Amino acid sequence: FRPLYTLMCKRAEDRAAFDAEQQNDPLSGDASPFAGALRFWSELPPGLLHFGACDPSLGKAGAGRDPSALLIGGLDREDMRLHVLVADIRKRHPDRIIQDMIALQRQWRCALWAVETVQFQEFFAEVLVREAARQGLPLPVLPLKNHTDKQLRIESLQPYVSQGRILFHPEQRALVDQLRHFPLADHDDGPDALEMLWRAATQGFVSLRDAFVRVPRAASPFDLPHDGGPDGWPDTWPDGGDPSEPPWI
């Protein structure tokens, strides 16, 4: 038996050693690439662009099925940091997943949802979109067929997590626990959905600048006020050019 204060001091000195010796929860080095890399947000910047990701995990039935993962992230376009806002990871039936996604979309208005579509999960994505449309809610879905190794995809997030490009909240315990123990955790549905979320937020468009910055329209004579020309056209363009030549020449 050890006093609580002694245990707290030991935990503060070396968290990994404390977990291994006192909690039977070993986390170290390359065996747990995310264990010491997680960074957390406490306040959210304004103007976040929301994205969603869903790992339905429909491959098993009954009590042995994996939990499904629904994640919402807010992308800060100023510094390209992704703040994980929602991490809903639990076992549920497909119809419950659909209703939960629709409820999240009503709340967060995501610009894009990444949904894993392997085997019959592709049918799930179709049913999801139809049900959302029936309820009068636009739900933009990006089906993702993941062909590369899952572990390699998840490990590719490690540099972004360690650099603080992906930020979490301490209350997202299921996701944090799965990341800390990856790849030895009982489930990896949360990290799998996180990889899809990051991909949707950073690669969902041809160019982030093209997608989020308003592009000025080309000059048009119909946008210019008349200045007395006999045919209703201006005598000169604002730059002094000849109005007989279209401004795009």
Side-chain angles (χ1 to χ4, degrees):
F1 174 77
R2 294 187 180 183
L4 178 60
Y5 179 76
T6 302
L7 293 175
M8 292 175 62
C9 291
K10 186 176 180 63
R11 184 176 185 269
E13 289 175 0
D14 192 335
R15 176 66 181 272
F18 178 85
D19 287 344
E21 297 173 10
Q22 305 297 326
Q23 303 287 94
N24 193 27
D25 186 16
L27 298 171
S28 62
D30 295 337
S32 302
F34 297 101
L38 301 181
R39 303 292 182 268
F40 300 91
W41 61 264
S42 57
E43 296 183 1
L44 295 174
L48 295 178
L49 186 65
H50 298 147
F51 293 87
C54 171
D55 180 1
S57 298
L58 303 179
K60 296 181 180 179
R65 67 179 182 274
D66 292 331
S68 59
L70 302 179
L71 269 60
I72 302 289
L75 181 69
D76 186 349
R77 289 165 283 177
E78 294 295 328
D79 57 12
M80 293 302 296
R81 295 181 189 274
L82 183 68
H83 300 70
V84 180
L85 306 173
V86 175
D88 184 3
I89 303 173
R90 52 195 170 93
K91 295 181 179 181
R92 57 197 136 189
H93 295 290
D95 57 345
R96 184 71 261 172
I97 300 175
I98 290 174
Q99 296 305 319
D100 288 347
M101 289 184 67
I102 291 175
L104 288 172
Q105 178 64 8
R106 291 189 188 279
Q107 178 181 359
W108 296 99
R109 300 291 176 178
C110 296
L112 194 68
W113 275 89
V115 178
E116 187 176 39
T117 54
V118 295
Q119 299 177 355
F120 58 88
Q121 291 181 358
E122 186 170 357
F123 176 71
F124 168 83
E126 296 175 0
V127 174
L128 167 65
V129 173
R130 287 203 302 266
E131 177 60 20
R134 187 188 69 83
Q135 297 188 25
L137 178 70
L139 204 160
V141 170
L142 173 66
L144 291 181
K145 292 186 177 181
N146 296 314
H147 300 290
T148 57
D149 180 74
K150 179 192 292 189
Q151 182 168 335
L152 293 178
R153 286 192 295 104
I154 296 174
E155 288 180 348
S156 71
L157 296 177
Q158 199 276 341
Y160 304 111
V161 172
S162 63
Q163 295 166 12
R165 313 295 288 183
I166 303 176
L167 300 172
F168 307 89
H169 194 275
E171 293 184 359
Q172 298 161 357
R173 296 176 182 175
L175 175 60
V176 169
D177 186 65
Q178 289 185 7
L179 283 168
R180 289 181 63 247
H181 292 87
F182 177 85
L184 303 178
D186 294 335
H187 302 285
D188 57 10
D189 308 279
D192 193 14
L194 180 66
E195 188 276 330
M196 293 189 292
L197 180 66
W198 176 254
R199 208 185 327 166
T202 59
Q203 304 177 19
F205 298 93
V206 174
S207 166
L208 287 173
R209 179 171 297 277
D210 292 341
F212 304 135
V213 178
R214 185 181 296 276
V215 179
R217 294 186 298 123
S220 168
F222 300 102
D223 295 334
L224 299 175
H226 296 300
D227 63 355
D231 55 358
W233 288 81
D235 292 331
T236 58
W237 297 114
D239 61 359
D242 185 352
S244 64
E245 294 183 355
W248 52 82
I249 293 180

